[in-house]
């Protein structure tokens, strides 16, 4: 029987020459691609004219930047922060840190400068790559930062202008060495940094390709913030692992996105549900504008197209709907991948009916992040994907329907939380499985289905993770609030993501005079609580803001340690 070829089998040709061990490091993986695809486009941006680096040019620039870091005193294991908008410069900085043997700390550029500074301090980073807009807020020799490198052409220390004669030595990092620290918690409280090794990221990148074919001819669109594990792995690392091109999107604006998709002839489009929902709404709106007869005909053809694809594995939609897809700038798209939040099955189904191979996956930052991905040839609409090879997944304490907490073991599972051994121990089982906190079940084909998310985590329509405890902590200094519980809610069945609401039980003692039964007094209590929420909202990120407030007439049930029993809070009586 002929042995099937795995997507990572090409590594055998380079093992012993460009790398040792089971998996290459991230720099070694890039070096392999630079040798295989030297003159292919690597990192591209439209500003508005097309500016691109080939793999050879990118590798040379990465080497110069790494040499500069070594000249600056960087030693293996040193943490170096990178914060900026998506750009080729960001990508070069990320890889240069690793070539120099350092550990990269990607930080959300949407955070305030003070919040970025807090994460730099938490990571112990002494060198910062920063975009031009925020560069004036930082200075070398201040707040523990010894060196500053700009990612913007306007910067005096612009990354492409720095040079070094130092050639980085080979082997400054190994596959089991720490590659990146990704902060998953928000901006308040103690930040939680996920430690990912080179092996974590490279193995996850290549194992995911068992469920998804990608090619050197593909063009990936890096639209989502690339500091996030989803975009970092599924776009940036996946792309250079096969010698494909990455086009960096500058703005999350539909007009700009459609222009980039068309100009770059993007084939791999990764996004969050909110983005795909807006694009689909735009397509259907255009069809409806042609009249009820045309709309009815198109929907009938969509159903036929989807049925043919599902039954026979043939994809007729691209030819049937060429003009519609071309007008929507989606004609070149080969595959769309949705992640970072729940996607409505109807949206998934309609993209496939239009002839676009549309898949979704599942993972967490702690798992690098992909652990399940729907193969486009064998997708299941309601599943978040088939478990990747070499990945062990089990369901802890399953109920009578097989549903329970999802636990994962595999080469992509994190080393742990940075300098947080107790928190690390809490999420690992005795036999080495990572407890996700998500609830789901597996079918006989090893496809994963989610029936609930992490017990407290709120995932917005835009794919942002919101931790209720962080928002609740912001109310600690308000004596008027006796109890508060922040949670997600869905306003209707058509909305796949969650909105945020706060259940607040007011301090009975402070409001004693107003809580004697008359409606006017109750109104004053509600007004004051709503004013407090509005005040807190001013200091939150846009996706964290509380949209609905329920002022309760009765207290919520608590444990003996004075913690609200979240899942015991069902129907509530409002004041």
């Amino acid at each position: 029987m002929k042995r099937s070829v795995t997507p990572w089998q090409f590594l055998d040709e380079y093992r012993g020459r460009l790398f040792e061990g089971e998996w290459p490091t991230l720099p070694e993986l890039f070096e392999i691609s630079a040798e295989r695809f030297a003159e292919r486009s690597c990192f591209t941006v439209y500003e508005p004219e097309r500016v691109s680096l080939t793999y050879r040019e990118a590798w040379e620039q990465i080497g110069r930047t790494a040499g500069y870091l070594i000249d600056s005193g960087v030693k293996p294991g040193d943490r170096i922060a990178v914060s900026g908008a998506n750009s080729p410069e960001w990508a070069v900085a990320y890889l240069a840190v690793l070539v120099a043997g350092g550990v990269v700390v990607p930080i959300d550029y949407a955070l305030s400068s003070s919040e970025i500074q807090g994460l730099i301090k938490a990571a112990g980073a002494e060198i910062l790559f920063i975009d031009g807009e925020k560069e004036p807020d930082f200075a070398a020799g201040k707040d523990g930062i010894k060196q500053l490198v700009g990612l913007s052409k306007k910067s005096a220390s612009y990354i492409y202008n720095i040079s070094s004669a130092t050639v980085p030595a080979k082997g400054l990092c190994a596959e089991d060495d720490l590659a990146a620290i990704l902060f998953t918690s928000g901006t308040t409280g103690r930040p939680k940094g996920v430690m990912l090794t080179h092996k974590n990221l490279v193995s996850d990148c290549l194992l995911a390709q068992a469920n998804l074919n990608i090619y050197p001819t593909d063009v990936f669109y890096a639209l989502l913030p690339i500091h996030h594990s989803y975009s970092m792995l599924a776009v940036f690392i996946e792309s250079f692992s096969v010698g494909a091109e990455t086009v960096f999107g500058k703005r999350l604006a539909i007009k700009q996105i459609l222009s980039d998709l068309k100009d770059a002839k993007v084939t791999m489009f990764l996004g969050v549900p909110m983005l795909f929902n807006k694009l689909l709404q735009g397509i259907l709106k255009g069809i409806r504008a042609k009249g009820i007869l045309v709309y009815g005909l198109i929907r009938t053809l969509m159903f036929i197209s989807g049925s043919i694809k599902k039954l026979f594995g043939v994809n007729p939609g691209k030819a049937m709907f060429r003009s519609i897809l071309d007008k929507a700038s989606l004609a070149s798209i080969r595959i769309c991948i949705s992640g970072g939040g729940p996607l409505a099955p109807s949206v998934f189904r309609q993209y496939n009916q239009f002839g676009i191979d549309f898949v979704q996956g599942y993972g967490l930052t702690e798992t690098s992040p992909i652990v399940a991905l729907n193969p486009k040839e064998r997708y299941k609409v309601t599943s978040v994907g088939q478990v990747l090879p070499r990945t062990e997944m089990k369901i802890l304490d399953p109920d009578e329907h097989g549903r329970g907490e999802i636990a994962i073991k595999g080469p992509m599972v994190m080393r742990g939380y940075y300098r947080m051994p107790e928190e690390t121990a809490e999420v690992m089982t005795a036999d080495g499985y990572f407890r996700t906190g998500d609830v789901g079940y597996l079918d006989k084909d090893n496809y994963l289905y989610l029936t609930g998310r992490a017990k407290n985590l709120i995932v917005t329509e835009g794919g942002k993770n919101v931790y209720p405890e962080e928002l609740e902590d912001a109310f600690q200094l308000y004596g008027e609030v006796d109890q508060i519980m922040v949670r997600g809610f869905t306003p209707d069945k058509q909305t796949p993501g969650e909105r945020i609401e706060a259940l607040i039980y007011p301090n009975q003692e402070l409001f004693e005079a107003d809580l004697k039964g008359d409606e006017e007094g109750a109104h004053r209590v509600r007004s004051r609580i709503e004013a407090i929420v509005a005040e807190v909202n001013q200091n939150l990120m846009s996706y964290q803001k509380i949209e609905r407030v329920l002022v309760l007439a009765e207290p919520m049930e608590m444990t003996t340690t004075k913690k609200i029993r979240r899942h015991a809070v069902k129907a509530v009586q409002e004041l």
Side-chain angles (χ1 to χ4, degrees):
M1 184 177 176
K2 187 179 178 180
R3 183 184 175 189
S4 61
V5 177
T6 63
W8 52 91
Q9 196 162 321
F10 76 95
L11 294 175
D12 293 342
E13 182 182 342
Y14 302 92
R15 188 177 284 106
R17 181 166 68 86
L18 293 186
F19 78 99
E20 304 290 339
E22 182 182 14
W23 303 100
T25 63
L26 285 164
E28 289 166 345
L29 184 63
F30 193 93
E31 185 179 12
I32 290 170
S33 287
E35 181 175 303
R36 297 171 76 196
F37 312 104
E39 300 308 318
R40 290 195 67 86
S41 294
C42 178
F43 301 142
T44 301
V45 69
Y46 288 81
E47 303 180 312
E49 298 301 317
R50 185 177 189 272
V51 179
S52 186
L53 293 175
T54 64
Y55 272 85
R56 176 183 54 78
E57 291 168 337
W59 185 235
E60 290 172 354
Q61 184 61 58
I62 289 164
R64 285 193 293 270
T65 308
Y68 173 84
L69 292 174
I70 292 169
D71 292 344
S72 300
V74 170
K75 302 180 296 298
D78 285 354
R79 278 82 60 209
I80 299 172
V82 179
S83 186
N86 288 3
S87 67
E89 290 88 344
W90 190 103
V92 167
Y94 180 102
L95 288 164
V97 170
L98 301 176
V99 170
V103 177
V104 67
V105 184
I107 298 177
D108 188 350
Y109 191 58
L111 298 175
S112 69
S113 294
S114 62
E115 290 162 346
I116 291 173
Q117 179 58 57
L119 294 181
I120 292 171
K121 184 177 180 181
E126 296 183 344
I127 294 179
L128 169 65
F129 288 86
I130 188 73
D131 234 335
E133 184 182 312
K134 287 195 170 83
E135 188 174 346
D137 298 335
F138 299 88
K142 181 183 175 184
D143 297 323
I145 299 173
K146 294 182 179 179
Q147 196 81 18
L148 206 65
V149 184
L151 298 178
S152 166
K153 291 179 181 178
K154 297 179 181 179
S155 171
S157 59
Y158 179 46
I159 183 172
Y160 287 179
N161 291 339
I162 60 178
S163 61
S164 170
T166 299
V167 177
K170 299 282 187 181
L172 290 177
C173 54
E175 64 177 302
D176 288 317
D177 287 343
L178 191 59
I181 300 174
L182 278 62
F183 286 96
T184 62
S185 66
T187 60
T188 62
R190 188 180 180 191
K192 186 184 289 184
V194 174
M195 297 188 291
L196 298 176
T197 66
H198 289 270
K199 180 179 181 179
N200 289 153
L201 292 164
V202 172
S203 67
D204 196 49
C205 163
L206 297 175
L207 291 171
Q209 291 176 33
N211 289 16
L212 182 71
N213 293 323
I214 55 176
Y215 309 100
T217 51
D218 274 318
V219 179
F220 284 72
Y221 189 38
L223 175 65
L224 303 177
I226 207 165
H227 75 276
H228 190 282
S229 62
Y230 169 43
S231 188
M232 182 188 302
L233 190 287
V235 178
F236 173 49
I237 298 175
E238 289 287 1
S239 179
F240 76 69
S241 76
V242 298
E245 179 181 6
T246 299
V247 173
F248 294 87
K250 287 290 187 180
R251 291 183 293 125
L252 194 63
I254 295 296
K255 187 177 180 180
Q256 181 66 51
I257 292 168
L258 296 180
S259 174
D260 285 346
L261 292 177
K262 196 163 192 174
D263 291 343
K265 295 181 172 58
V266 170
T267 64
M268 300 292 294
F269 185 20
L270 287 80
V272 293
M274 179 176 63
L275 174 61
F276 289 122
N277 289 342
K278 286 184 177 180
L279 288 174
L280 183 61
Q281 287 165 9
I283 293 171
L284 295 177
K285 182 180 179 182
I287 295 171
R288 285 194 192 95
K290 296 180 182 297
I292 189 67
L293 291 177
V294 173
Y295 180 73
L297 175 62
I298 293 294
R299 292 311 296 258
T300 301
L301 291 174
M302 286 172 64
F303 177 79
I304 294 170
S305 169
S307 299
I308 292 172
K309 182 178 180 184
K310 192 67 178 170
L311 292 172
F312 303 107
V314 179
N315 187 353
K318 268 285 177 73
M320 292 170 65
F321 304 111
R322 167 66 61 175
S323 61
I324 293 173
L325 295 176
D326 189 58
K327 189 174 182 180
S329 299
L330 298 176
S332 65
I333 301 296
R334 191 169 69 82
I335 296 175
C336 284
I337 302 178
S338 180
L343 180 78
S346 60
V347 175
F348 182 96
R349 189 178 295 110
Q350 287 175 80
Y351 272 100
N352 275 289
Q353 290 173 343
F354 273 121
I356 294 175
D357 288 320
F358 197 99
V359 300
Q360 58 181 326
Y362 169 75
L364 306 94
T365 301
E366 289 88 343
T367 58
S368 300
I370 308 170
V371 291
L373 190 64
N374 256 307
K376 73 179 182 67
E377 302 84 1
R378 306 181 309 279
Y379 67 87
K380 298 188 180 185
V381 172
T382 56
S383 169
V384 292
Q386 188 176 39
V387 178
L388 300 187
R390 303 195 191 183
T391 305
E392 297 177 51
M393 186 178 289
K394 65 180 180 180
I395 305 300
L396 305 177
D397 303 318
D399 62 17
E400 66 273 18
H401 302 292
R403 300 181 179 95
E405 184 180 7
I406 302 161
I408 300 161
K409 181 191 283 188
M412 69 289 294
V413 174
M414 68 170 182
R415 177 184 291 179
Y417 296 119
Y418 185 60
R419 293 180 176 173
M420 301 177 80
E422 292 181 4
E423 287 81 354
T424 301
E426 285 177 5
V427 297
M428 300 302 296
T429 65
D431 54 352
Y433 282 79
F434 168 68
R435 303 180 66 122
T436 67
D438 289 334
V439 177
Y441 64 94
L442 293 163
D443 69 11
K444 60 182 178 60
D445 299 317
N446 219 25
Y447 280 73
L448 177 65
Y449 300 78
L450 296 182
T451 54
R453 290 186 294 279
K455 57 184 178 182
N456 298 337
L457 184 66
I458 301 168
V459 182
T460 70
E461 186 182 8
K464 290 286 191 179
N465 290 347
V466 178
Y467 291 82
E469 294 87 350
E470 294 182 320
L471 276 60
E472 291 161 4
D473 286 346
F475 290 85
Q476 286 186 3
L477 298 180
Y478 292 94
E480 297 95 330
V481 176
D482 187 30
Q483 293 179 329
I484 179 167
M485 186 182 81
V486 174
R487 66 183 183 185
F489 73 97
T490 50
D492 53 64
K493 292 182 179 180
Q494 282 71 46
T495 304
E498 292 180 298
R499 307 291 178 82
I500 302 171
E501 68 178 3
L503 282 64
I504 296 176
Y505 181 65
N507 186 313
Q508 300 297 293
E509 186 176 344
L510 285 180
F511 289 113
E512 184 178 5
D514 289 322
L515 292 171
K516 290 183 177 178
D518 73 297
E519 181 55 35
E520 189 175 336
H523 177 72
R524 286 194 293 270
V525 175
R526 288 193 295 268
S527 296
R528 175 55 187 150
I529 296 298
E530 289 169 358
I532 291 171
V533 172
E535 190 174 321
V536 170
N537 270 343
Q538 290 179 0
N539 298 314
L540 298 176
M541 300 290 287
S542 59
Y543 64 86
Q544 294 178 308
K545 294 187 187 298
I546 296 165
E547 295 186 32
R548 189 165 77 182
V549 182
L550 305 178
V551 182
L552 308 183
E554 300 291 335
M556 290 172 277
E557 182 183 344
M558 304 184 77
T559 67
T560 54
T561 55
K562 301 302 178 185
K563 294 179 181 177
I564 295 171
R565 296 187 184 275
R566 291 179 178 270
H567 299 290
V569 180
K570 305 292 183 184
V572 294
Q573 183 180 348
E574 293 186 62
L575 185 66

